[in-house]
Amino acid sequence: QPSPPHCKTMMGRRNYALAATALLRFHVFLFALTGLSEAARSIVDFGAVAGDNSVAAAQRNAAAISAGLAAVGDGSSADRVLVVPGGLTFYIFGIEVANAHDFTWQLDGTLRAHSNITAWPKKKTQRASSSGLGEPKLLMNIVHMTNCSSFTIQGNGMIDGQGYEWWVRTFEKKLPFGRPHMFVMEECEDVVLKNFRCRNSPQFHFELKDIRNFTIRGLDIHVDTERQKALHLTHGTWLDGLPTFPLNTDGIDPAGRDILIQNVSITNFDDAVAVKPSHGGGRFATCSENIVVENARVKFGVGMSIGSVPPNVKVNCVRNVTFRNVAFEDPFKAIYIKTNPGNEGSGIIDNITYENITVRNPIWWGVYIGPQQQHQPDGSGPGCMLYPLEPCETQPRVPISRVVIRNYESSGGPLGPGIMRCNETAPCTGFEFDNVVFDGELHQLENFICEHVEGVAHHSKPVPKCFSSKGNN
């Protein structure tokens, strides 16, 4: 005789619980083999429950992980590793940890942000701060770490931000409290992030503010661009293959010093990596500097970017940044250096190098240096998407100097090679092109749109017409 429906449900839950227990025991065995068993604790030890997508379970899991990270990072315990067991899925709300040091977060399972937007927790300290993207920031982020050091987050697991419903409400302007980022790390140092996957953050995947000595390696960041495209088509913001409304699902946005990002794969409709400025008010960094991004693959994306950099009374600064060995496929932009409006203070963008860059079928400009192109969701920002068809002011308070592009090859695409625009009172200086080649039958413009830029080119085609010295030999 068939079992009643409620019995089948109970049997299913019991079977899942048995499977979860078996997987947990298997992971304990694995840690024993690697000599980590005495130093590792599972999030289940702190009360996390797998496979339950209820609001109550997500709240419980967030509290369990926050408590687990605090415990392994408090400096007094021999247990220095917190494990998310593989093969299991844990629904979560916002996780916060502060003042944790010398620990490892082993991410082997899946953490999935709960999709109930109305239940998403607000920050404990309420203040109407802005994200800098024209949105308030009153909600907890998915993971927020403050004043933490000497830690590693690693594993073959995944964090799924379930961003779609957040994106829908962004278009509809129905998010009065803003959107969470996936990871926010503030005033953290001596950190390694490696080998795990990130999917569909509501907003930035990594916002790293005032950091020092970071290594980010082997991350796979993927946004469901097909669903985003469908939203753009629905709301009329898809222009000839180009999204004109930024959902700001950036890959990695660091602001700090001594940072290495390597062997990453990023698919999105926003900045792949965007180095943000630091200023004189920073604890670890007064300038975002000594940063290397290398061995990366980007699908779509708005570039390996600097900025945007507005002026600041404490001097916003980005310098000594290298992007190398980067392959772009169908990007909206590849090289992107952007200033932003502001009438007080100043900024610095200096000594930026792009080398060994390949670009296939750029959808918009392969190289764009100048005022930020897109408006933010609230309509703020210069909005230079249609320049030169529409006017767009440049920024005199943030000069750009010593930009080197070396071994750059671009093929295909409907437009010319790029735009470089600086202000006549603060021209770009010290630019150098070396073996920079653009080739595409569809190019509508033969040369750069170029204003107030001083530079030299070697073995390059075309040579920017505004370069005062043409050492093309």
Side-chain angles (χ1 to χ4, degrees):
Q1 181 178 354
S3 300
H6 71 277
C7 291
K8 290 181 179 180
T9 302
M10 292 176 64
M11 290 170 63
R13 290 177 178 172
R14 182 173 181 272
N15 289 338
Y16 189 93
L18 290 172
T21 302
L23 277 168
L24 182 58
R25 288 173 177 169
F26 177 69
H27 278 272
V28 170
F29 170 72
L30 286 180
F31 277 105
L33 289 179
T34 57
L36 293 175
S37 60
E38 293 183 357
R41 297 186 69 182
S42 168
I43 61 172
V44 176
D45 298 338
F46 294 90
V49 291
D52 186 342
N53 66 353
S54 67
V55 167
Q59 292 169 338
R60 176 175 175 174
N61 291 343
I65 295 171
S66 297
L69 290 171
V72 300
D74 73 353
S76 62
S77 172
D79 299 325
R80 315 303 300 167
V81 180
L82 184 68
V83 181
V84 179
L88 302 177
T89 297
F90 298 85
Y91 288 83
I92 58 172
F93 284 112
I95 296 166
E96 291 189 346
V97 60
N99 307 314
H101 310 283
D102 190 21
F103 66 94
T104 296
W105 188 2
Q106 187 70 28
L107 178 59
D108 290 332
T110 296
L111 298 179
R112 181 160 289 145
H114 205 282
S115 60
N116 189 326
I117 292 176
T118 58
W120 197 266
K122 296 180 178 65
K123 293 179 179 178
K124 295 176 182 178
T125 302
Q126 290 296 317
R127 56 189 179 90
S129 62
S130 171
S131 63
L133 303 172
E135 297 184 36
K137 287 296 296 178
L138 297 176
L139 298 181
M140 291 178 67
N141 296 295
I142 297 174
V143 178
H144 197 140
M145 309 179 78
T146 305
N147 190 33
C148 298
S149 67
S150 303
F151 68 89
T152 296
I153 304 176
Q154 63 182 13
N156 55 15
M158 178 176 71
I159 294 190
D160 180 359
Q162 295 213 97
Y164 179 76
E165 292 299 330
W166 297 94
W167 307 334
V168 169
R169 296 195 185 196
T170 300
F171 274 104
E172 296 172 348
K173 295 182 169 53
K174 293 181 179 179
L175 290 172
F177 304 111
R179 289 178 283 166
H181 300 306
M182 182 169 284
F183 281 95
V184 174
M185 298 181 185
E186 299 182 86
E187 295 187 347
C188 295
E189 63 176 338
D190 302 326
V191 174
V192 176
L193 309 173
K194 63 180 182 180
N195 297 339
F196 56 92
R197 293 165 288 149
C198 300
R199 297 290 183 267
N200 297 321
S201 178
Q203 204 167 10
F204 295 170
H205 288 79
F206 289 87
E207 184 181 42
L208 311 174
K209 302 189 290 186
D210 196 13
I211 62 170
R212 179 171 64 189
N213 195 22
F214 264 56
T215 297
I216 301 172
R217 179 183 298 121
L219 298 189
D220 182 3
I221 299 171
H222 190 97
V223 170
D224 190 337
T225 53
E226 286 300 316
R227 298 190 81 184
Q228 284 197 352
K229 178 180 177 180
L231 287 172
H232 284 290
L233 290 170
T234 298
H235 292 274
T237 55
W238 189 263
L239 176 64
D240 294 330
L242 186 72
T244 60
F245 181 88
L247 284 169
N248 295 315
T249 50
D250 293 19
I252 305 170
D253 288 10
R257 59 175 300 147
D258 306 328
I259 301 165
L260 174 63
I261 301 171
Q262 61 183 184
N263 304 327
V264 296
S265 176
I266 300 173
T267 298
N268 67 356
F269 281 164
D270 296 283
D271 294 296
V273 175
V275 178
K276 303 297 187 182
S278 299
H279 55 63
R283 172 187 171 193
F284 289 137
T286 57
C287 181
S288 291
E289 59 185 339
N290 307 333
I291 299 171
V292 174
V293 182
E294 62 183 4
N295 307 331
R297 299 186 64 85
V298 179
K299 174 69 173 176
F300 303 124
V302 186
M304 291 292 184
S305 308
I306 301 294
S308 60
V309 182
N312 187 287
V313 293
K314 296 182 180 180
V315 188
N316 271 335
C317 176
V318 179
R319 66 181 171 219
N320 302 340
V321 179
T322 296
F323 301 93
R324 62 187 176 214
N325 306 331
V326 183
F328 292 92
E329 182 181 354
D330 305 317
F332 305 123
K333 287 182 281 285
I335 292 176
Y336 192 13
I337 301 176
K338 45 186 171 175
T339 60
N340 231 359
N343 297 315
E344 294 184 356
S346 62
I348 298 168
I349 301 175
D350 178 57
N351 195 22
I352 312 298
T353 298
Y354 293 86
E355 59 183 356
N356 304 332
I357 309 293
T358 59
V359 183
R360 298 289 176 261
N361 303 314
I363 296 171
W364 205 238
W365 304 107
V367 174
Y368 185 94
I369 300 173
Q372 178 170 277
Q373 283 205 285
Q374 287 179 305
H375 286 300
Q376 295 301 337
D378 69 343
S380 64
C384 298
M385 285 292 295
L386 297 180
Y387 187 87
L389 300 179
E390 294 182 358
C392 181
E393 293 185 1
T394 53
Q395 172 55 266
R397 293 176 174 268
V398 185
I400 304 171
S401 58
R402 295 194 297 166
V403 173
V404 175
I405 305 178
R406 181 183 300 117
N407 299 331
Y408 176 102
E409 178 191 357
S410 177
S411 60
L415 300 178
I419 293 179
M420 298 186 292
R421 299 181 62 230
C422 295
N423 191 272
E424 61 181 341
T425 65
C428 295
T429 59
F431 278 40
E432 180 179 353
F433 282 17
D434 185 1
N435 192 29
V436 175
V437 178
F438 296 83
D439 183 21
E441 294 181 359
L442 297 179
H443 282 167
Q444 301 299 309
L445 300 171
E446 294 182 356
N447 209 315
F448 285 86
I449 297 173
C450 191
E451 301 170 10
H452 310 297
V453 180
E454 301 171 6
V456 61
H458 308 281
H459 312 292
S460 298
K461 176 186 176 183
V463 174
K465 58 186 178 182
C466 66
F467 279 18
S468 59
S469 175
K470 297 178 174 63
N472 207 36
N473 50 58

